[in-house]
Coordinates of all heavy atoms in Angstrom, one line a residue:
G1 N -11.1 1.1 4.3 CA -10.6 -0.2 4.3 C -9.2 -0.4 4.2 O -8.4 0.6 3.9
A2 N -8.7 -1.6 4.3 CA -7.3 -1.9 4.3 C -7.1 -3.2 3.6 O -8.0 -4.2 3.8 CB -6.7 -1.9 5.7
L3 N -6.1 -3.4 2.8 CA -5.7 -4.6 2.1 C -4.3 -4.9 2.3 O -3.5 -4.0 2.3 CB -6.0 -4.4 0.6 CG -7.3 -4.1 0.1 CD1 -7.3 -3.7 -1.3 CD2 -8.2 -5.3 0.3
L4 N -4.0 -6.2 2.6 CA -2.6 -6.7 2.6 C -2.6 -7.6 1.4 O -3.4 -8.6 1.2 CB -2.4 -7.5 3.9 CG -1.0 -8.3 3.9 CD1 0.2 -7.3 3.9 CD2 -1.0 -9.1 5.1
L5 N -1.6 -7.3 0.5 CA -1.5 -8.0 -0.8 C -0.1 -8.6 -1.0 O 0.8 -8.1 -0.4 CB -1.7 -7.2 -2.0 CG -3.2 -6.5 -2.0 CD1 -3.1 -5.0 -1.5 CD2 -3.7 -6.5 -3.3
D6 N -0.1 -9.8 -1.6 CA 1.3 -10.4 -1.9 C 1.9 -9.8 -3.2 O 1.4 -8.8 -3.8 CB 1.2 -11.9 -2.1 CG 0.4 -12.4 -3.2 OD1 0.1 -11.6 -4.2 OD2 0.0 -13.6 -3.3
S7 N 3.1 -10.2 -3.5 CA 3.8 -9.6 -4.6 C 3.1 -9.8 -6.0 O 3.4 -9.1 -7.0 CB 5.2 -10.3 -4.7 OG 5.1 -11.7 -4.9
E8 N 2.2 -10.7 -6.1 CA 1.4 -10.9 -7.3 C 0.0 -10.0 -7.3 O -0.7 -10.1 -8.4 CB 1.0 -12.3 -7.6 CG 2.2 -13.2 -7.6 CD 3.0 -13.0 -8.7 OE1 2.5 -12.8 -9.9 OE2 4.3 -13.0 -8.6
G9 N -0.1 -9.2 -6.2 CA -1.4 -8.4 -6.2 C -2.6 -9.2 -5.7 O -3.7 -8.7 -5.8
E10 N -2.4 -10.4 -5.1 CA -3.5 -11.1 -4.6 C -3.8 -10.7 -3.1 O -2.8 -10.6 -2.4 CB -3.2 -12.6 -4.7 CG -3.1 -13.2 -6.0 CD -4.4 -13.2 -6.8 OE1 -5.4 -13.4 -6.1 OE2 -4.4 -12.9 -8.0
V11 N -5.0 -10.6 -2.8 CA -5.3 -10.1 -1.4 C -5.0 -11.3 -0.5 O -5.5 -12.4 -0.7 CB -6.7 -9.6 -1.3 CG1 -7.2 -9.4 0.1 CG2 -7.0 -8.4 -2.2
V12 N -4.3 -11.0 0.6 CA -4.0 -11.9 1.6 C -5.1 -11.7 2.8 O -5.6 -12.7 3.3 CB -2.6 -11.8 2.1 CG1 -2.3 -12.8 3.3 CG2 -1.6 -12.0 1.0
V13 N -5.2 -10.5 3.2 CA -6.1 -10.1 4.2 C -6.8 -8.7 3.9 O -6.1 -8.0 3.3 CB -5.4 -10.0 5.6 CG1 -6.4 -9.6 6.7 CG2 -4.7 -11.3 6.0
Q14 N -8.0 -8.6 4.2 CA -8.7 -7.4 4.0 C -9.6 -7.0 5.2 O -10.1 -7.9 5.8 CB -9.4 -7.4 2.7 CG -10.6 -8.3 2.6 CD -11.3 -8.2 1.2 OE1 -10.6 -8.2 0.2 NE2 -12.6 -8.2 1.2
A15 N -9.8 -5.8 5.3 CA -10.7 -5.2 6.4 C -11.5 -4.1 5.7 O -11.0 -3.4 4.9 CB -9.9 -4.7 7.6
G16 N -12.7 -4.0 6.2 CA -13.6 -3.0 5.6 C -14.3 -3.6 4.4 O -14.5 -4.8 4.4
A17 N -14.8 -2.7 3.5 CA -15.6 -3.1 2.3 C -14.8 -4.2 1.6 O -13.6 -3.9 1.2 CB -15.9 -1.9 1.5
G18 N -15.4 -5.3 1.3 CA -14.7 -6.3 0.6 C -15.2 -6.7 -0.8 O -15.2 -7.8 -1.1
D19 N -15.5 -5.7 -1.6 CA -16.0 -6.1 -2.9 C -14.9 -6.3 -3.9 O -13.6 -6.0 -3.6 CB -17.0 -5.0 -3.4 CG -16.5 -3.7 -3.6 OD1 -15.2 -3.5 -3.6 OD2 -17.2 -2.7 -3.8
F20 N -15.2 -6.8 -5.1 CA -14.1 -7.1 -6.1 C -13.4 -5.8 -6.5 O -12.2 -5.8 -6.8 CB -14.8 -7.7 -7.3 CG -13.9 -8.1 -8.4 CD1 -13.0 -9.1 -8.3 CD2 -13.9 -7.3 -9.6 CE1 -12.1 -9.4 -9.3 CE2 -13.0 -7.6 -10.5 CZ -12.1 -8.6 -10.4
R21 N -14.1 -4.7 -6.5 CA -13.5 -3.4 -6.9 C -12.3 -3.1 -6.1 O -11.3 -2.7 -6.6 CB -14.6 -2.4 -6.9 CG -14.1 -1.0 -7.4 CD -15.1 0.0 -7.4 NE -15.3 0.3 -5.9 CZ -15.7 1.4 -5.5 NH1 -16.0 2.4 -6.3 NH2 -15.8 1.6 -4.2
H22 N -12.4 -3.3 -4.8 CA -11.3 -3.0 -3.9 C -10.1 -3.9 -4.2 O -8.9 -3.5 -4.2 CB -11.7 -3.1 -2.4 CG -12.6 -2.0 -2.0 ND1 -13.8 -2.2 -1.6 CD2 -12.3 -0.6 -1.9 CE1 -14.4 -1.0 -1.3 NE2 -13.4 -0.1 -1.4
R23 N -10.4 -5.2 -4.5 CA -9.2 -6.1 -4.9 C -8.5 -5.6 -6.2 O -7.4 -5.7 -6.3 CB -9.8 -7.5 -5.0 CG -10.2 -8.1 -3.7 CD -10.9 -9.4 -3.9 NE -11.3 -10.0 -2.7 CZ -10.7 -11.1 -2.1 NH1 -9.7 -11.6 -2.7 NH2 -11.2 -11.5 -1.0
L24 N -9.3 -5.2 -7.1 CA -8.8 -4.8 -8.4 C -8.0 -3.4 -8.2 O -6.9 -3.3 -8.8 CB -9.9 -4.5 -9.4 CG -9.5 -4.2 -10.8 CD1 -8.8 -5.3 -11.4 CD2 -10.8 -3.9 -11.6
I25 N -8.5 -2.6 -7.4 CA -7.8 -1.3 -7.1 C -6.5 -1.7 -6.4 O -5.4 -1.1 -6.8 CB -8.7 -0.3 -6.3 CG1 -9.7 0.2 -7.1 CG2 -7.8 0.8 -5.7 CD1 -10.9 1.0 -6.3
G26 N -6.5 -2.5 -5.5 CA -5.3 -3.0 -4.8 C -4.2 -3.5 -5.7 O -3.0 -3.1 -5.6
A27 N -4.6 -4.4 -6.7 CA -3.6 -4.9 -7.6 C -3.1 -3.9 -8.5 O -1.9 -3.8 -8.7 CB -4.3 -5.9 -8.5
Y28 N -3.9 -2.9 -9.0 CA -3.4 -1.9 -9.9 C -2.5 -0.9 -9.1 O -1.5 -0.4 -9.6 CB -4.5 -1.1 -10.5 CG -5.0 -1.8 -11.8 CD1 -6.3 -2.4 -11.8 CD2 -4.2 -2.0 -12.9 CE1 -6.8 -3.1 -12.9 CE2 -4.6 -2.7 -14.0 CZ -6.0 -3.2 -14.0 OH -6.4 -3.9 -15.1
Q29 N -2.9 -0.6 -7.9 CA -2.0 0.3 -7.1 C -0.6 -0.4 -6.8 O 0.3 0.3 -6.6 CB -2.7 0.7 -5.8 CG -3.9 1.6 -6.0 CD -3.5 2.9 -6.7 OE1 -2.5 3.5 -6.3 NE2 -4.3 3.3 -7.6
G30 N -0.7 -1.7 -6.6 CA 0.6 -2.4 -6.5 C 1.5 -2.3 -7.7 O 2.8 -2.2 -7.4
I31 N 1.0 -2.2 -8.9 CA 1.8 -2.0 -10.0 C 2.4 -0.6 -9.9 O 3.6 -0.4 -10.2 CB 1.0 -2.1 -11.3 CG1 0.5 -3.6 -11.5 CG2 1.7 -1.7 -12.6 CD1 -0.6 -3.8 -12.5
A32 N 1.6 0.4 -9.5 CA 2.1 1.8 -9.5 C 3.3 1.8 -8.4 O 4.3 2.5 -8.6 CB 1.0 2.7 -9.1
L33 N 3.1 1.1 -7.3 CA 4.1 1.1 -6.2 C 5.4 0.4 -6.7 O 6.5 0.9 -6.5 CB 3.5 0.3 -5.0 CG 4.5 0.2 -3.8 CD1 4.9 1.6 -3.3 CD2 3.8 -0.6 -2.7
A34 N 5.2 -0.7 -7.5 CA 6.4 -1.4 -8.0 C 7.2 -0.5 -8.9 O 8.4 -0.5 -9.0 CB 6.0 -2.7 -8.7
I35 N 6.4 0.3 -9.8 CA 7.1 1.2 -10.7 C 7.8 2.3 -10.0 O 9.0 2.6 -10.3 CB 6.1 1.7 -11.8 CG1 5.6 0.7 -12.7 CG2 6.7 2.9 -12.5 CD1 4.5 1.0 -13.5
A36 N 7.2 2.9 -9.0 CA 7.9 3.9 -8.2 C 9.1 3.4 -7.5 O 10.1 4.1 -7.4 CB 6.8 4.5 -7.2
R37 N 9.0 2.2 -7.0 CA 10.2 1.6 -6.3 C 11.4 1.4 -7.3 O 12.5 1.6 -7.0 CB 9.8 0.3 -5.7 CG 8.8 0.6 -4.5 CD 8.5 -0.7 -3.8 NE 9.6 -1.0 -2.9 CZ 9.8 -2.2 -2.3 NH1 8.9 -3.2 -2.4 NH2 10.8 -2.4 -1.5
R38 N 11.0 0.9 -8.6 CA 12.1 0.7 -9.5 C 12.7 2.0 -10.0 O 13.9 2.1 -10.2 CB 11.5 0.0 -10.8 CG 11.4 -1.5 -10.6 CD 11.1 -2.3 -11.9 NE 9.9 -1.8 -12.6 CZ 8.8 -2.4 -12.4 NH1 8.5 -3.4 -11.7 NH2 7.7 -1.9 -13.1
I39 N 11.9 3.0 -10.1 CA 12.4 4.4 -10.5 C 13.3 4.8 -9.4 O 14.4 5.4 -9.7 CB 11.3 5.4 -10.8 CG1 10.5 5.0 -12.0 CG2 11.8 6.8 -10.8 CD1 9.3 5.7 -12.2
G40 N 12.9 4.7 -8.1 CA 13.8 5.1 -7.0 C 15.1 4.5 -7.0 O 16.2 5.1 -6.8
T41 N 15.1 3.2 -7.2 CA 16.3 2.4 -7.3 C 17.2 2.8 -8.5 O 18.4 3.1 -8.3 CB 16.0 0.9 -7.4 OG1 15.3 0.5 -6.2 CG2 17.2 0.1 -7.4
R42 N 16.6 2.9 -9.7 CA 17.3 3.2 -10.9 C 18.0 4.6 -10.8 O 19.1 4.7 -11.3 CB 16.4 3.2 -12.1 CG 17.0 3.5 -13.4 CD 16.1 3.5 -14.6 NE 15.2 2.4 -14.6 CZ 13.9 2.4 -14.9 NH1 13.4 3.5 -15.2 NH2 13.2 1.3 -14.9
H43 N 17.3 5.5 -10.1 CA 17.9 6.9 -10.1 C 18.7 7.2 -8.8 O 19.0 8.3 -8.5 CB 16.8 7.9 -10.4 CG 16.3 7.8 -11.7 ND1 17.0 8.2 -12.9 CD2 15.1 7.3 -12.2 CE1 16.3 8.0 -13.9 NE2 15.1 7.4 -13.6
G44 N 18.7 6.2 -8.0 CA 19.6 6.3 -6.7 C 19.0 7.2 -5.7 O 19.8 7.9 -5.0
V45 N 17.7 7.5 -5.7 CA 17.2 8.4 -4.7 C 16.7 7.7 -3.4 O 16.2 8.3 -2.5 CB 16.0 9.2 -5.3 CG1 16.4 10.1 -6.4 CG2 14.9 8.2 -5.7
G46 N 16.9 6.4 -3.3 CA 16.6 5.6 -2.1 C 15.3 4.9 -2.3 O 14.7 5.0 -3.3
A47 N 15.0 4.1 -1.3 CA 13.8 3.3 -1.3 C 12.6 4.1 -1.2 O 12.5 5.2 -0.4 CB 13.9 2.3 -0.1
V48 N 11.5 3.7 -1.8 CA 10.2 4.3 -1.7 C 9.6 3.8 -0.4 O 9.5 2.6 -0.2 CB 9.3 4.0 -2.9 CG1 7.8 4.5 -2.6 CG2 9.8 4.7 -4.1
E49 N 9.3 4.6 0.6 CA 8.8 4.2 1.9 C 7.3 4.2 1.8 O 6.6 3.5 2.6 CB 9.3 5.1 3.0 CG 10.8 5.0 3.1 CD 11.3 5.8 4.3 OE1 10.6 6.4 4.9 OE2 12.5 5.8 4.4
S50 N 6.6 5.1 1.1 CA 5.2 5.1 0.9 C 4.8 5.8 -0.3 O 5.6 6.5 -0.9 CB 4.5 5.8 2.2 OG 4.8 7.2 2.2
L51 N 3.6 5.6 -0.7 CA 3.0 6.2 -1.9 C 1.7 6.7 -1.6 O 0.9 5.9 -1.0 CB 3.0 5.3 -3.1 CG 2.6 5.8 -4.4 CD1 3.6 6.9 -4.9 CD2 2.6 4.7 -5.5
T52 N 1.4 7.9 -1.8 CA 0.0 8.5 -1.4 C -0.7 8.9 -2.7 O 0.0 9.6 -3.5 CB 0.2 9.7 -0.5 OG1 0.9 9.3 0.7 CG2 -1.2 10.2 0.0
C53 N -1.8 8.5 -2.9 CA -2.7 8.8 -4.0 C -3.9 9.5 -3.6 O -4.7 8.9 -2.8 CB -3.0 7.6 -4.9 SG -1.5 6.7 -5.4
R54 N -4.2 10.6 -4.2 CA -5.5 11.3 -3.9 C -6.3 11.3 -5.2 O -5.9 11.8 -6.3 CB -5.1 12.7 -3.4 CG -4.4 12.7 -2.1 CD -4.1 14.1 -1.7 NE -5.2 14.4 -0.9 CZ -5.2 15.5 -0.1 NH1 -4.3 16.5 -0.3 NH2 -6.2 15.8 0.6
Y55 N -7.5 10.9 -5.1 CA -8.5 10.9 -6.1 C -9.7 11.6 -5.7 O -9.9 11.9 -4.5 CB -8.9 9.5 -6.6 CG -7.6 8.6 -6.9 CD1 -7.1 7.8 -6.0 CD2 -7.2 8.8 -8.2 CE1 -6.0 7.0 -6.5 CE2 -6.1 8.0 -8.6 CZ -5.5 7.1 -7.7 OH -4.4 6.3 -8.1
S56 N -10.7 12.0 -6.6 CA -11.8 12.7 -6.2 C -12.7 11.9 -5.2 O -13.4 12.4 -4.4 CB -12.6 13.1 -7.5 OG -13.1 11.9 -8.1
G57 N -12.7 10.6 -5.4 CA -13.6 9.7 -4.5 C -12.9 9.0 -3.4 O -13.5 8.3 -2.6
A58 N -11.6 9.1 -3.3 CA -10.9 8.3 -2.2 C -9.4 8.9 -2.1 O -8.9 9.5 -3.0 CB -10.8 6.8 -2.5
A59 N -8.8 8.5 -1.0 CA -7.3 8.7 -0.9 C -6.7 7.4 -0.4 O -7.4 6.6 0.3 CB -7.1 9.8 0.2
L60 N -5.6 7.1 -0.9 CA -4.8 5.8 -0.6 C -3.5 6.0 -0.1 O -2.8 6.9 -0.6 CB -4.8 4.9 -1.9 CG -6.1 4.7 -2.7 CD1 -5.8 4.0 -4.0 CD2 -7.0 3.8 -1.9
V61 N -3.1 5.2 0.9 CA -1.7 5.2 1.3 C -1.2 3.7 1.0 O -1.8 2.8 1.5 CB -1.6 5.5 2.8 CG1 -0.2 5.4 3.3 CG2 -2.2 6.8 3.1
L62 N -0.1 3.6 0.3 CA 0.5 2.3 0.0 C 1.8 2.2 0.7 O 2.5 3.2 0.8 CB 0.7 2.1 -1.5 CG -0.4 2.1 -2.4 CD1 -1.0 3.4 -2.8 CD2 -0.2 1.3 -3.6
R63 N 2.1 1.1 1.3 CA 3.3 0.8 2.1 C 3.9 -0.5 1.6 O 3.3 -1.5 1.7 CB 3.1 0.8 3.5 CG 2.8 2.0 4.2 CD 4.1 2.8 4.5 NE 3.7 4.0 5.2 CZ 4.7 4.9 5.6 NH1 5.9 4.6 5.4 NH2 4.3 6.0 6.3
P64 N 5.1 -0.5 1.0 CA 5.8 -1.7 0.7 C 6.2 -2.4 2.0 O 6.6 -1.8 2.9 CB 7.0 -1.2 -0.1 CG 7.3 0.2 0.4 CD 5.9 0.7 0.8
L65 N 6.2 -3.7 1.9 CA 6.7 -4.6 3.0 C 7.7 -5.5 2.5 O 8.0 -5.5 1.3 CB 5.4 -5.5 3.5 CG 4.2 -4.7 3.9 CD1 3.0 -5.6 4.1 CD2 4.5 -3.9 5.2
K66 N 8.2 -6.3 3.4 CA 9.3 -7.2 3.0 C 8.7 -8.4 2.1 O 7.5 -8.6 2.1 CB 10.1 -7.7 4.1 CG 9.4 -8.6 5.1 CD 10.3 -9.1 6.2 CE 9.7 -10.0 7.2 NZ 10.6 -10.3 8.2
D67 N 9.6 -9.0 1.4 CA 9.2 -10.2 0.6 C 8.2 -9.8 -0.5 O 7.4 -10.7 -0.9 CB 8.7 -11.3 1.4 CG 9.8 -11.8 2.4 OD1 11.0 -11.7 2.1 OD2 9.4 -12.3 3.4
G68 N 8.1 -8.6 -0.9 CA 7.2 -8.2 -2.0 C 5.8 -7.9 -1.6 O 4.9 -7.5 -2.4
Y69 N 5.4 -8.1 -0.4 CA 4.1 -7.8 0.1 C 4.0 -6.2 0.2 O 4.9 -5.5 0.3 CB 3.9 -8.4 1.5 CG 3.7 -9.9 1.5 CD1 4.8 -10.7 1.5 CD2 2.4 -10.5 1.5 CE1 4.7 -12.1 1.5 CE2 2.3 -11.8 1.6 CZ 3.3 -12.6 1.6 OH 3.2 -13.9 1.6
Y70 N 2.7 -5.8 0.3 CA 2.4 -4.4 0.5 C 1.0 -4.3 1.0 O 0.2 -5.2 1.0 CB 2.5 -3.6 -0.9 CG 1.6 -4.0 -1.9 CD1 0.4 -3.3 -2.3 CD2 1.9 -5.1 -2.8 CE1 -0.4 -3.6 -3.3 CE2 1.1 -5.5 -3.9 CZ -0.1 -4.7 -4.1 OH -0.9 -5.1 -5.1
F71 N 0.8 -3.1 1.6 CA -0.6 -2.9 2.1 C -1.1 -1.6 1.6 O -0.3 -0.7 1.3 CB -0.7 -3.1 3.7 CG -0.3 -2.0 4.5 CD1 -1.1 -1.0 4.8 CD2 1.0 -1.9 5.0 CE1 -0.8 0.1 5.7 CE2 1.4 -0.9 5.9 CZ 0.4 0.0 6.2
I72 N -2.4 -1.5 1.6 CA -3.1 -0.3 1.1 C -4.1 0.1 2.1 O -4.9 -0.7 2.6 CB -3.8 -0.5 -0.2 CG1 -2.7 -0.9 -1.3 CG2 -4.6 0.7 -0.7 CD1 -3.3 -1.2 -2.6
L73 N -4.1 1.4 2.5 CA -5.2 1.9 3.4 C -5.9 2.8 2.5 O -5.4 3.8 1.9 CB -4.5 2.7 4.5 CG -5.4 3.4 5.5 CD1 -6.4 2.4 6.2 CD2 -4.6 4.2 6.5
A74 N -7.3 2.6 2.4 CA -8.2 3.4 1.6 C -9.1 4.2 2.4 O -9.6 3.6 3.5 CB -8.9 2.6 0.6
M75 N -9.4 5.5 2.1 CA -10.2 6.3 3.0 C -10.9 7.3 2.1 O -10.5 7.5 1.0 CB -9.5 7.0 4.1 CG -8.5 8.0 3.6 SD -7.2 8.5 4.8 CE -6.2 7.1 4.5
A76 N -12.0 7.9 2.7 CA -12.7 9.0 1.9 C -11.8 10.2 1.8 O -10.9 10.3 2.6 CB -14.0 9.3 2.8
P77 N -11.9 10.9 0.8 CA -11.1 12.2 0.6 C -11.3 13.1 1.8 O -12.4 13.2 2.4 CB -11.6 12.8 -0.7 CG -12.9 12.1 -1.0 CD -13.0 10.8 -0.2
G78 N -10.2 13.7 2.2 CA -10.3 14.6 3.4 C -10.4 13.8 4.7 O -10.7 14.5 5.7
G79 N -10.1 12.5 4.7 CA -10.3 11.7 5.9 C -9.0 11.6 6.8 O -8.7 10.5 7.3
G80 N -8.3 12.7 6.9 CA -7.1 12.7 7.8 C -6.0 11.9 7.2 O -5.3 11.1 7.8
L81 N -5.7 12.3 6.0 CA -4.6 11.6 5.2 C -3.2 11.7 5.9 O -2.5 10.7 6.0 CB -4.5 12.2 3.7 CG -3.6 11.5 2.8 CD1 -4.0 10.0 2.7 CD2 -3.7 12.2 1.4
S82 N -2.9 12.8 6.4 CA -1.6 12.9 7.1 C -1.4 12.1 8.3 O -0.4 11.4 8.5 CB -1.3 14.4 7.4 OG -2.2 14.9 8.3
D83 N -2.5 11.9 9.0 CA -2.5 11.0 10.2 C -2.4 9.5 9.7 O -1.7 8.7 10.3 CB -3.7 11.2 11.0 CG -3.7 10.5 12.3 OD1 -2.6 10.5 13.0 OD2 -4.8 9.9 12.6
A84 N -3.1 9.2 8.6 CA -3.0 7.9 8.1 C -1.7 7.6 7.6 O -1.2 6.4 7.9 CB -4.0 7.7 6.9
V85 N -0.9 8.5 7.0 CA 0.5 8.2 6.5 C 1.3 8.0 7.8 O 2.1 7.1 7.8 CB 1.0 9.4 5.7 CG1 2.4 9.3 5.4 CG2 0.2 9.5 4.4
R86 N 1.2 8.8 8.7 CA 2.0 8.6 10.0 C 1.7 7.3 10.7 O 2.6 6.6 11.0 CB 1.7 9.8 11.0 CG 2.6 9.7 12.3 CD 2.2 10.9 13.1 NE 0.8 11.0 13.5 CZ 0.2 10.3 14.4 NH1 0.9 9.3 15.0 NH2 -1.1 10.4 14.7
R87 N 0.5 7.0 10.9 CA 0.1 5.7 11.5 C 0.5 4.5 10.6 O 0.8 3.4 11.2 CB -1.4 5.7 11.9 CG -1.8 6.6 12.9 CD -3.3 6.6 13.2 NE -3.6 7.5 14.2 CZ -4.3 7.2 15.3 NH1 -4.6 6.0 15.5 NH2 -4.5 8.2 16.1
S88 N 0.4 4.7 9.4 CA 0.8 3.5 8.5 C 2.1 3.0 8.6 O 2.5 1.8 8.5 CB 0.4 3.8 7.0 OG 1.3 4.7 6.5
E89 N 3.1 3.9 9.1 CA 4.5 3.5 9.3 C 4.6 2.5 10.4 O 5.3 1.5 10.3 CB 5.3 4.8 9.4 CG 6.8 4.4 9.8 CD 7.6 3.5 8.8 OE1 7.1 3.4 7.7 OE2 8.5 2.8 9.3
S90 N 4.0 2.8 11.6 CA 4.0 1.8 12.6 C 3.4 0.5 12.2 O 3.8 -0.5 12.7 CB 3.4 2.4 13.9 OG 2.1 2.8 13.7
T91 N 2.3 0.6 11.5 CA 1.6 -0.6 11.0 C 2.6 -1.4 10.1 O 2.7 -2.7 10.2 CB 0.4 -0.3 10.2 OG1 -0.5 0.5 11.1 CG2 -0.4 -1.5 9.7
R92 N 3.3 -0.8 9.2 CA 4.3 -1.4 8.3 C 5.3 -2.1 9.1 O 5.7 -3.2 8.9 CB 5.0 -0.4 7.5 CG 6.0 -1.0 6.4 CD 7.0 -0.1 6.0 NE 7.8 0.5 7.1 CZ 8.8 -0.1 7.6 NH1 9.2 -1.4 7.3 NH2 9.5 0.5 8.6
R93 N 5.8 -1.5 10.2 CA 6.8 -2.1 11.1 C 6.3 -3.4 11.7 O 6.9 -4.4 11.8 CB 7.3 -1.2 12.1 CG 8.3 -0.1 11.5 CD 9.0 0.6 12.6 NE 8.1 1.3 13.6 CZ 7.8 2.5 13.5 NH1 8.2 3.3 12.5 NH2 7.0 3.1 14.4
R94 N 5.0 -3.4 12.2 CA 4.4 -4.5 12.9 C 4.2 -5.6 11.9 O 4.6 -6.8 12.2 CB 3.1 -4.1 13.6 CG 3.4 -3.4 14.9 CD 2.1 -3.2 15.7 NE 0.9 -2.9 14.9 CZ 0.3 -1.7 14.8 NH1 1.0 -0.6 15.3 NH2 -0.7 -1.5 14.1
I95 N 3.7 -5.4 10.8 CA 3.5 -6.4 9.8 C 4.8 -7.0 9.3 O 4.8 -8.3 9.1 CB 2.6 -5.9 8.5 CG1 1.3 -5.4 9.0 CG2 2.6 -6.9 7.4 CD1 0.4 -4.8 7.9
D96 N 5.8 -6.2 9.0 CA 7.1 -6.7 8.7 C 7.6 -7.7 9.7 O 8.3 -8.7 9.3 CB 8.1 -5.6 8.4 CG 8.1 -5.2 6.9 OD1 7.5 -5.9 6.0 OD2 8.7 -4.1 6.6
Q97 N 7.4 -7.5 11.0 CA 7.8 -8.4 12.0 C 7.2 -9.7 12.0 O 7.7 -10.8 12.2 CB 7.7 -7.7 13.4 CG 8.6 -6.6 13.7 CD 8.3 -5.9 15.1 OE1 7.2 -6.2 15.6 NE2 9.1 -5.1 15.4
E98 N 5.9 -9.6 11.5 CA 5.1 -10.9 11.5 C 5.3 -11.7 10.2 O 5.1 -12.9 10.2 CB 3.6 -10.6 11.5 CG 3.2 -9.9 12.8 CD 3.3 -10.9 14.0 OE1 3.1 -12.1 13.9 OE2 3.7 -10.4 15.1
L99 N 5.9 -11.1 9.1 CA 6.1 -11.8 7.9 C 7.4 -12.5 7.9 O 8.3 -12.4 8.6 CB 6.2 -10.8 6.7 CG 4.9 -10.2 6.3 CD1 5.2 -9.1 5.2 CD2 3.9 -11.1 5.8

């Protein structure tokens, strides 16, 4: 599934399974992304372009967007994570153009 969330962690658009659990995961992952971005800025290592999380039951790719938006791509573990990271960059560029 995929989620597009605003800066407050509210789902703007979603595709795939649309249960409450995915919305909650999206909001919590947004907090982790915001923390990683602050750390990158604070320590001068540059902007966080993506965050990848692997769990026993899923893998997630998070991409920050402009104006505080972000999107999350969720997939089954072992579901082509490297390809998802690569493709998510072109998706990020297209969404940023639309925002």
Side-chain angles (χ1 to χ4, degrees):
L3 298 168
L4 172 64
L5 300 101
D6 67 14
S7 61
E8 301 295 318
E10 293 294 325
V11 174
V12 176
V13 178
Q14 68 183 42
D19 64 13
F20 180 73
R21 187 179 66 147
H22 287 116
R23 292 172 179 255
L24 187 61
I25 289 169
Y28 279 112
Q29 291 299 318
I31 293 168
L33 179 60
I35 291 169
R37 294 181 79 191
R38 282 194 299 269
I39 290 170
T41 300
R42 182 180 313 137
H43 295 287
V45 295
V48 171
E49 296 179 6
S50 70
L51 187 62
T52 304
C53 303
R54 298 178 90 173
Y55 302 98
S56 60
L60 306 171
V61 178
L62 293 85
R63 289 277 183 178
L65 304 167
K66 67 181 181 181
D67 299 331
Y69 287 83
Y70 61 100
F71 82 88
I72 299 174
L73 177 61
M75 66 197 82
L81 186 58
S82 62
D83 189 43
V85 170
R86 183 181 53 78
R87 289 178 183 237
S88 69
E89 173 55 21
S90 61
T91 302
R92 183 204 58 79
R93 285 192 303 266
R94 284 194 315 262
I95 293 173
D96 269 347
Q97 289 176 351
E98 298 293 323
L99 289 176

